[in-house]
Amino acid sequence: MRLLHTADWHLGRSLGGHSLQDDQAHLLAEQLPAIVRDTAPDAVLLAGDVFDRAVPPAEAVRLLDEVLSALVLGLGVPVVIIPGNHDEARRVGFGARLLAAARLHIVQSPCGEAIPLGDREGRRATIVACGYATPLALAREPSLAEARFADHDGAFAALAPLLHGLCPAEGPRVLVAHAFVAGGAESPLSERALSVGGTGAIDAARFAGFDYVALGHLHRPQSLLGGRLRYSGSPFPYSVEEADHAKSVTLVEIGGEDAPRIEAIPLTPRRGLRVLTGSFAALRETESRAREDYVALILTDPVPIPEAQRRLAEVFPRIVGLRYATERAGTGQFATAGAAARIARPLDLFGRFHAELRGAPLPEEARPALVAAIEAAEAAGH
């Protein structure tokens, strides 16, 4: 059975103040349907972070409609979607019961839903799609009312038996989830932290029993547990830290006792993301395709150049960041204030505040309540 795995589209995203709408359309409305047509998968799996924020712009919603119409209606391929931590699950899941009849399966429940899947030769498998599962979300589920967990790993330990219980005794099992699995390589400025005070990592062993786990959240394509767990990565580099990533979608073949066979199918952006280093004068003389790309510039001049970014924008119209090579370590990053806020750990900050105010460390018994409160605030967009 062949599946095409993708994730972290972040529709509606901008980079350095520049809209990525046209670049995302080039990758997802043009290249992705062509890949699906050529590879003929039995389903497409979209593992969360469909949009970049809870209330996406109208043009991002239209682009999603265009892509899904091309896949489901145009090519007749089933699509399975889950929300990620950037999405508002109820918005992504609107009309899910009606759309399932057209084989567009949108699952928002953190306790999962089983989707039977058959291939052209009559083989059967079960896709278990699991909406973004935070401890707070799972604590509200009646089936886990008696469970007690303080972090994402504990929550998934309680959830895993329920997910397996959705599957028949026979046939391959595939899980679609959005999570940070311990051991995965992060790109911290583009992946809004799933953790609060380090509580977000899930032990890879929690996914035992699934033949393939299609993961979203980490933007670098990577595999764990011999290929049985995989992040397909994002289709476009969404931060300077991703400039060296080779973006792709994952074609996976499952069946039998062997490990899944995985092929990374490259995506070719209309514009790339580059980090260019040089003097102000040398960069002004650049004659290459880099002029059309998104660029982060590192100036080697010993002293700052007046209005450097404005003047360089005459050469590079899509500057996403600029700094000087002489800046002290830690001050010359390309991070924006918003990116810094996304990777801050609120529980750590509160712990330091508590220690300064009370003269004592934050009590361990207070952590679960604080984690729940912080996640509730994040889910509400605060």
Side-chain angles (χ1 to χ4, degrees):
M1 184 164 289
R2 294 158 67 86
L3 303 168
L4 194 74
H5 168 201
T6 180
D8 298 285
W9 288 6
H10 290 276
L11 300 179
R13 182 94 170 203
S14 62
L15 183 61
H18 304 282
S19 171
L20 296 176
Q21 178 76 13
D22 292 344
D23 300 273
Q24 292 175 324
H26 174 73
L27 292 167
L28 299 172
E30 297 179 24
Q31 290 189 35
L32 182 61
I35 291 171
V36 172
R37 183 184 62 247
D38 293 342
T39 58
D42 298 298
V44 173
L45 312 178
L46 174 48
D49 281 355
V50 181
F51 296 112
D52 190 56
R53 53 185 184 269
V55 183
E59 59 269 20
V61 178
R62 285 194 295 269
L63 178 55
L64 179 65
D65 178 69
E66 180 181 352
V67 177
L68 295 179
S69 295
L71 300 180
V72 178
L73 300 179
L75 297 174
V77 177
V79 175
V80 178
I81 299 175
I82 63 168
N85 56 301
H86 280 247
D87 299 308
E88 209 294 314
R90 291 168 296 181
R91 287 190 174 92
V92 173
F94 173 77
R97 286 181 291 179
L98 292 173
L99 294 169
R103 300 199 299 173
L104 173 56
H105 304 278
I106 305 173
V107 178
Q108 57 178 300
S109 170
C111 286
E113 179 181 320
I115 302 164
L117 182 67
D119 67 9
R120 295 166 180 79
E121 299 179 13
R123 291 173 293 221
R124 308 294 296 177
T126 302
I127 309 295
V128 177
C130 170
Y132 177 46
T134 66
L136 180 63
L138 290 174
R140 298 192 185 110
E141 294 293 325
S143 54
L144 291 171
E146 302 302 317
R148 294 292 180 269
F149 33 76
D151 57 22
H152 287 71
D153 184 61
F156 206 90
L159 175 62
L162 299 183
L163 299 177
H164 282 292
L166 297 172
C167 300
E170 302 296 328
R173 300 178 175 191
V174 175
L175 177 66
V176 186
H178 194 88
F180 172 41
V181 178
E186 298 177 85
S187 302
L189 293 185
S190 57
E191 295 153 3
R192 186 173 300 162
L194 296 188
S195 63
V196 179
T199 63
I202 298 173
D203 191 322
R206 305 298 188 197
F207 299 91
F210 288 99
D211 297 275
Y212 181 73
V213 181
L215 291 168
H217 178 55
L218 299 186
H219 289 186
R220 182 188 295 275
Q222 56 193 289
S223 296
L224 301 166
L225 295 186
R228 292 187 184 275
L229 275 69
R230 180 159 175 89
Y231 289 97
S232 66
S234 60
F236 190 84
Y238 290 127
S239 75
V240 176
E241 289 70 28
E242 297 181 50
D244 64 340
H245 291 194
K247 298 301 186 180
S248 61
V249 294
T250 298
L251 182 66
V252 56
E253 294 189 12
I254 60 170
E257 298 298 322
D258 296 334
R261 290 196 300 170
I262 289 171
E263 178 186 357
I265 300 177
L267 295 169
T268 306
R270 184 175 62 172
R271 302 183 186 95
L273 172 61
R274 303 170 185 250
V275 179
L276 302 178
T277 302
S279 68
F280 175 82
L283 290 172
R284 286 271 297 180
E285 297 301 318
T286 298
E287 293 288 349
S288 72
R289 189 185 169 191
R291 288 174 174 252
E292 300 302 318
D293 288 341
Y294 299 94
V295 295
L297 303 176
I298 302 175
L299 298 185
T300 57
D301 301 271
V303 295
I305 305 296
E307 297 187 300
Q309 182 157 335
R310 182 190 64 77
R311 294 163 67 187
L312 285 167
E314 297 169 0
V315 179
F316 305 102
R318 298 176 185 85
I319 296 176
V320 302
L322 183 147
R323 68 176 177 89
Y324 286 85
T326 54
E327 291 174 342
R328 290 180 293 110
T331 66
Q333 300 303 312
F334 294 109
T336 63
R342 289 199 295 271
I343 63 171
R345 291 186 168 180
L347 194 57
D348 290 346
L349 297 174
F350 189 92
R352 291 198 292 270
F353 172 77
H354 184 280
E356 292 179 8
L357 186 67
R358 298 292 181 88
L362 179 69
E364 280 299 312
E365 58 269 23
R367 292 173 65 91
L370 283 169
V371 168
I374 293 167
E375 288 185 337
E378 290 179 339
H382 300 312

